[in-house]
Amino acid sequence: MYLLVLYFPIMNALILFFLGSRLGKMGAASLSLLSSFLTVVAALWIFWKTFLSEIFVIISISPWINLGLMDVKIEFVYDNLSSIMLLVITIVSWAVQFFSVEYMYRDPHLIRFLAFLSSFAFFMIFLVTSDNYIQLFIGWEGVGIMSYLLINFWSTRIAANKAAMKAIIINKLGDISLLLAMVLLFCHVFSLDFFVINCLSWLFRSYIYLNTYVFWINIEYLSLILFLFILGACAKSAQIGLHTWLPDAMEGPTPVSALIHAATMVTAGVFLLLRSVHLFKYDENSLLLLSFLGGITSFIAATIGLFQNDIKKVIAYSTCSQLGYMVLSCGLNNYSGSLFHLMNHAFFKALLFLSAGAIIHSMLDQQDVRRMGMLLKYLPVSYIMILVGSLTIMGIPFLTGFYSKDFILEYVYSSNIYLSIFLYWLGIISASLTSFYSIKLLFLTFYNVHNSYFNILYNKNKRLIVIHESKFLILIALIILFLGSIFVGFLFKDLFIGMGTDVWTNTLDTESYKDNLKVFDVEFLPMRIKIIPIICTLISALLSFLFFKFYIFIVEFVYKLYYYFQSFFFFFLWGNNKINNNVTLNMKKVVDIKRAEKKINRIKFGTFIGILHFLQKLIYNGYYFNEIYNYFLYKNKKLSYNLFKDLDKGIIEFMGHLSIVSNIKNILYLFSKKNKSRIDYIVFIMILGIVIISIILLWNLLGNLKVFCILLLLIVLEIININNKNKK
């Protein structure tokens, strides 16, 4: 029964890949829905046997790798952490399957799409049930490959091609980091098994003082390992600097966006942090880095979301912001709160994406909220769904998002790190901004005056289509996630948070956090601290509604006020001086006054307005992270391509048949062409020997800078080569 949760999705994918054309669309859809439902049943059974029964199970399949000290077996572990992840993955995947059958039914490649979804779910389940880092890495890579295929499903779109390439390139950075961390970890513990590493984690108390040199930096082994883990998690979970692939992933179909953003790919990085608890607890610097990255990510993503007009991109940046809360919670040792928010976030974020997809489906693929309006009359069910999802992500009391989000903020305030107050208010501001753009999304879509679209649309055949609700299967998916967004937080809060509860009592981490006294501090915080997030959220929601309700009036008022203050300061600074000197107002002086007015405006207002314009442009362009990515990837692709091409070509030619001998002969021939005496040969050999000895000595002196110097030399030579080619 434990292995059925892996068996159903992979068998469904294989059947659809090889026999899908014989089944047809209806048969493939029925098989996918049945398979996903059986997977949910298996996940519920595992949850009952492990989480509720307080036991964990390890199933060993067969030996796999046995090389010296490396003994790796194919094993699957089912504990509290993996059972919760299984529950989230399977339920959300089931809802996405329902949605996809109707949403993609007219697509000629529906069968292939359903096979990709099942494969995606399989690799994610394989990842969360892994018993060691090598198995986890296989699931990690599988999720990355399937995300590329799903984002690029509509491969005829150039934007989809670029988005998929960006996702795979950025995630490859995280993959390399994770692989290096695994190598360093094995060199110290001689095992990559989670249980073994946990049992030997006390050794890191001694290893923590062992240092190494990375180039010229003296760094601790454990800090280096954890930094690589953090880098891998940040790439997969879209933390600041490595988040640019996540909004661009919206080029894929809406079910893909819901699956990637809610329950699978973006949660893999957070899961890696949760599974590596036994390592992070011995390094406070890594925890501080995690908390800082999470707080900054939540704030920056929320600010960027304010200026987005694409309905899917608004929700995408909210995903980045919520992932920041999870990473922030991990950095404060609040792993139960992070896992609780991960589970809650999966339901309401999938609900938001699928509700947005239902709206897009009804509006003939229109995604710009500025081209919508007055849809409440025509899409009442979609409105209720997206309203509940928005209120949940805002943290409105008694909805799912409130219990975990509010707990994380309270935990941040009660933590004893010196950044706690800063991170607390940063989280409050992020929550307020989330509330602002959530109300903006609701108002422009459902309440605003219609813009470009009213109650009728034209299809490609120039026939009128009335805006209508989605069909039955889409509504089933929305109802499943709707119920989860309302009741999951309330039903599971006593299992995750509060005094006397700890999800980590039944995990591979034997040193659980059941004695963490910060939970008591959270319970007895002053009431004013507990209600500050709610008050700020409600105030921000009210301001957002009023702003967009009276948008035109506010803009006109601001411009009039700005002009009034310009005139006032001009009169005070210039007119007063003019009156004191008894200067008459002739035409020439009028011209001079206008010039002076422009000058005064530049001095008094130019700086302030310039700063505001710069900030607006900075946030609107996403802090130019995309531009940075494009510069390093595309601007320097010629250099990197030629460098590796010439390096590979040079190695092949240098190591080819008699090439070394022929090159030496050519050098000697060129040298002896001008100097025919035997003494010159001897001098040449002596100089060559001195050069070789100098290179060997320099090689030993360089130490860890060897690789850096070689790469620098190759880059310089390649730049010279490119310049020579351009001159020719």
Side-chain angles (χ1 to χ4, degrees), residues 466-614:
V466 180
I467 300 176
H468 60 282
E469 283 288 358
S470 302
K471 294 185 179 179
F472 180 68
L473 291 179
I474 291 180
L475 294 179
I476 288 178
L478 294 179
I479 290 171
I480 294 172
L481 299 172
F482 172 80
L483 296 175
S485 300
I486 295 178
F487 298 109
V488 165
F490 174 77
L491 295 175
F492 285 84
K493 63 180 179 64
D494 293 330
L495 296 175
F496 284 89
I497 60 177
M499 294 184 294
T501 60
D502 192 357
V503 72
W504 297 97
T505 55
N506 182 29
T507 60
L508 293 178
D509 183 21
T510 55
E511 296 182 13
S512 65
Y513 288 81
K514 60 183 178 180
D515 297 325
N516 194 346
L517 298 179
K518 291 181 183 178
V519 177
F520 293 90
D521 297 335
V522 173
E523 292 288 341
F524 296 104
L525 279 176
M527 184 57 63
R528 56 182 177 85
I529 301 298
K530 290 179 176 291
I531 65 174
I532 283 178
I534 302 172
I535 293 175
C536 292
T537 298
L538 294 176
I539 292 174
S540 179
L542 179 62
L543 291 176
S544 177
F545 178 80
L546 294 176
F547 178 80
F548 290 101
K549 179 69 174 178
F550 305 102
Y551 176 78
I552 298 182
F553 173 77
I554 292 173
V555 171
E556 291 180 352
F557 176 76
V558 169
Y559 274 106
K560 290 180 180 179
L561 189 67
Y562 174 61
Y563 179 78
Y564 170 78
F565 276 104
Q566 280 185 321
S567 304
F568 173 77
F569 279 103
F570 163 70
F571 176 78
F572 181 78
L573 295 174
W574 179 261
N576 191 31
N577 187 32
K578 173 182 66 63
I579 293 172
N580 291 336
N581 291 297
N582 296 320
V583 179
T584 57
L585 291 176
N586 52 28
M587 185 60 69
K588 185 177 179 180
K589 290 296 181 182
V590 171
V591 176
D592 293 339
I593 290 171
K594 290 182 178 181
R595 292 177 180 175
E597 183 182 10
K598 293 180 180 180
K599 186 176 180 180
I600 293 170
N601 291 338
R602 284 198 302 269
I603 295 173
K604 297 298 179 182
F605 296 94
T607 304
F608 179 70
I609 299 299
I611 291 173
L612 290 180
H613 179 70
F614 171 76

Side-chain angles (χ1 to χ4, degrees), residues 7-156:
Y7 176 80
F8 288 128
I10 190 61
M11 289 304 300
N12 178 60
L14 292 175
I15 292 173
L16 293 182
F17 275 128
F18 293 103
L19 301 174
S21 58
R22 295 181 179 271
L23 295 174
K25 286 186 177 181
M26 186 60 67
S30 302
L31 180 63
S32 297
L33 293 177
L34 178 62
S35 173
S36 58
F37 173 74
L38 294 176
T39 308
V40 172
V41 173
L44 288 171
W45 186 86
I46 293 171
F47 177 79
W48 173 64
K49 295 293 290 185
T50 57
F51 196 104
L52 299 180
S53 301
E54 297 185 355
I55 60 171
F56 69 87
V57 179
I58 298 178
I59 299 178
S60 181
I61 304 299
S62 65
W64 185 20
I65 302 174
N66 191 0
L67 296 173
L69 296 174
M70 180 176 287
D71 186 13
V72 181
K73 299 178 182 179
I74 300 178
E75 295 180 338
F76 298 98
V77 60
Y78 301 91
D79 58 354
N80 280 359
L81 179 58
S82 58
S83 63
I84 288 294
M85 294 297 298
L86 285 175
L87 200 63
V88 170
I89 295 167
T90 54
I91 293 178
V92 174
S93 298
W94 184 37
V96 169
Q97 291 276 7
F98 269 109
F99 188 89
S100 302
V101 170
E102 180 61 39
Y103 189 84
M104 302 287 294
Y105 194 78
R106 297 182 181 274
D107 195 288
H109 306 292
L110 172 66
I111 299 173
R112 177 162 59 92
F113 182 77
L114 295 176
F116 285 166
L117 289 181
S118 297
S119 302
F120 200 11
F122 166 76
F123 281 113
M124 193 63 196
I125 294 172
F126 190 90
L127 188 152
V128 300
T129 56
S130 299
D131 186 59
N132 54 77
Y133 281 107
I134 296 180
Q135 272 185 245
L136 184 144
F137 187 75
I138 294 174
W140 186 279
E141 286 292 307
V143 167
I145 294 171
M146 297 312 303
S147 68
Y148 172 81
L149 296 174
L150 286 171
I151 295 172
N152 198 29
F153 183 76
W154 289 327
S155 56
T156 55

Side-chain angles (χ1 to χ4, degrees), residues 269-275 277 280-281 286-291 294 323-339 342 408 411-412 504 513:
V270 180
F271 176 80
L272 176 65
L273 300 176
L274 296 175
R275 189 56 91 185
V277 170
F280 279 95
K281 62 187 176 185
S286 300
L287 293 175
L288 185 63
L289 177 61
L290 273 180
S291 59
L323 289 170
Y325 282 108
M326 301 175 200
V327 175
L328 170 62
S329 183
C330 289
L332 300 174
N333 284 330
N334 183 22
Y335 301 105
S336 299
S338 180
L339 182 60
L342 186 152
I408 290 175
Y411 198 95
V412 172
W504 297 97
Y513 288 81

Side-chain angles (χ1 to χ4, degrees), residues 232-440:
C234 288
K236 192 70 77 173
S237 292
Q239 295 300 290
I240 191 66
L242 300 174
H243 70 283
T244 56
W245 69 269
L246 193 60
D248 291 348
M250 299 298 99
E251 295 297 332
T254 300
V256 176
S257 303
L259 197 59
I260 290 177
H261 286 245
T264 53
M265 189 170 176
V266 295
T267 61
V270 180
F271 176 80
L272 176 65
L273 300 176
L274 296 175
R275 189 56 91 185
S276 305
V277 170
H278 38 264
L279 298 176
F280 279 95
K281 62 187 176 185
Y282 292 112
D283 192 12
E284 294 182 357
N285 294 327
S286 300
L287 293 175
L288 185 63
L289 177 61
L290 273 180
S291 59
F292 182 77
L293 283 175
I296 294 297
T297 301
S298 64
F299 173 74
I300 289 180
T303 57
I304 299 174
L306 289 174
F307 293 88
Q308 301 301 315
N309 297 311
D310 189 314
I311 187 171
K312 291 174 66 176
K313 284 196 174 183
V314 173
I315 304 173
Y317 279 107
S318 72
T319 300
C320 293
S321 184
Q322 300 305 309
L323 289 170
Y325 282 108
M326 301 175 200
V327 175
L328 170 62
S329 183
C330 289
L332 300 174
N333 284 330
N334 183 22
Y335 301 105
S336 299
S338 180
L339 182 60
F340 189 34
H341 193 58
L342 186 152
M343 181 181 66
N344 295 342
H345 171 263
F347 288 98
F348 63 72
K349 185 52 55 72
L351 177 63
L352 283 171
F353 267 113
L354 296 188
S355 301
I359 296 171
I360 295 169
H361 188 67
S362 302
M363 297 290 293
L364 298 183
D365 298 330
Q366 178 59 248
Q367 297 183 194
D368 196 333
V369 294
R370 297 171 297 181
R371 294 185 175 271
M372 301 180 185
M374 298 186 68
L375 296 181
L376 178 60
K377 179 180 178 182
Y378 308 101
L379 303 174
V381 178
S382 299
Y383 167 72
I384 294 173
M385 299 299 174
I386 201 169
L387 175 64
V388 171
S390 300
L391 294 178
T392 305
I393 198 173
M394 290 163 55
I396 298 301
F398 310 115
L399 294 178
T400 292
F402 164 76
Y403 296 99
S404 55
K405 192 174 184 179
D406 190 71
F407 178 75
I408 290 175
L409 292 175
E410 293 173 4
Y411 198 95
V412 172
Y413 185 86
S414 62
S415 61
N416 54 5
I417 62 173
Y418 60 89
L419 288 177
S420 59
I421 302 299
F422 169 74
L423 294 175
Y424 174 76
W425 284 107
L426 200 64
I428 293 292
I429 296 172
S430 303
S432 302
L433 295 176
T434 301
S435 175
F436 192 92
Y437 63 68
S438 298
I439 297 299
K440 167 192 171 183

Side-chain angles (χ1 to χ4, degrees), residues 458-471:
Y458 288 95
N459 63 2
K460 295 180 180 179
N461 298 324
K462 304 297 182 180
R463 294 191 311 177
L464 294 177
I465 300 178
V466 180
I467 300 176
H468 60 282
E469 283 288 358
S470 302
K471 294 185 179 179

